[in-house]
Amino acid sequence: MAEASKQPFLSGSYFYVNLMARDADNNAIELTGRFTSVSGLGMEVEYEVYTEGGSEFPRYFYKETKPQTLVLEQGVVTQADNVAKLMEGCIQGQMIPLTGTIELRDSFNHSQRSWAIIRAFLQRYIGPELNSNQAALAVSRIELIYNGCL
């Protein structure tokens, strides 16, 4: 409990996302923005258990990593046309892998923690709900499928 009290309170913190890719024409596509919520930062590995006759101790063999869903919510993407390029690539059947980092930043824009994301693919995009009486964020939700973070 004493260790947790030493951590700074991160009021006004946000997640800075910087993921990059190249399309089929070798043009750079950058998914950069600030998000208030990020979930799915993890990794899951499946093992095969093998026990030899007469042995008390099972052996574990790596089988595969299980895909995870990275969810970016309530954010603003600095270049919205790049999201459109990613969606266009998906419609055309192109797998465009995104690689980069996600950083937790405090209200002073200092990085507190970062995660490396490798080969993430756009799975779902949900834009803002349009309501003339209410201010809306540029992105409501982006879902990416990937094999885990580092």
Side-chain angles (χ1 to χ4, degrees):
M1 188 86 169
E3 286 295 319
S5 64
K6 292 181 183 178
Q7 296 295 326
F9 181 65
L10 299 175
S11 177
S13 62
Y14 63 93
F15 290 95
Y16 177 73
V17 176
N18 186 15
L19 301 173
M20 291 186 250
R22 295 255 176 215
D23 65 6
D25 298 326
N26 206 25
N27 298 321
I29 298 175
E30 192 172 345
L31 179 63
T32 304
R34 295 178 175 203
F35 293 87
T36 58
S37 175
V38 173
S39 62
L41 289 169
M43 185 172 181
E44 187 174 349
V45 179
E46 188 175 337
Y47 293 94
E48 187 173 325
V49 181
Y50 176 75
T51 307
E52 294 180 345
S55 175
E56 297 178 23
F57 306 104
R59 299 179 73 180
Y60 297 95
F61 296 99
Y62 171 78
K63 191 173 181 181
E64 65 184 351
T65 56
K66 292 186 176 183
Q68 303 293 308
T69 302
L70 178 64
V71 180
L72 312 172
E73 293 184 293
Q74 305 287 319
V76 176
V77 176
T78 56
Q79 296 184 8
D81 58 332
N82 283 338
V83 175
K85 288 179 187 176
L86 283 171
M87 290 189 301
E88 182 181 330
C90 289
I91 291 168
Q92 294 175 359
Q94 298 173 355
M95 299 288 288
I96 303 173
L98 294 160
T99 299
T101 59
I102 295 176
E103 294 181 19
L104 173 62
R105 293 189 178 176
D106 61 17
S107 59
F108 301 108
N109 203 26
H110 297 124
S111 179
Q112 298 294 318
R113 173 101 161 63
S114 67
W115 295 266
I117 306 297
I118 300 170
R119 296 186 52 80
F121 299 95
L122 181 65
Q123 183 177 14
R124 187 177 200 187
Y125 168 79
I126 300 174
E129 189 174 310
L130 301 176
N131 184 344
S132 63
N133 296 325
Q134 190 175 22
L137 296 173
V139 174
S140 187
R141 184 180 179 105
I142 294 176
E143 293 182 14
L144 303 163
I145 191 165
Y146 75 119
N147 281 329
C149 63
L150 302 174

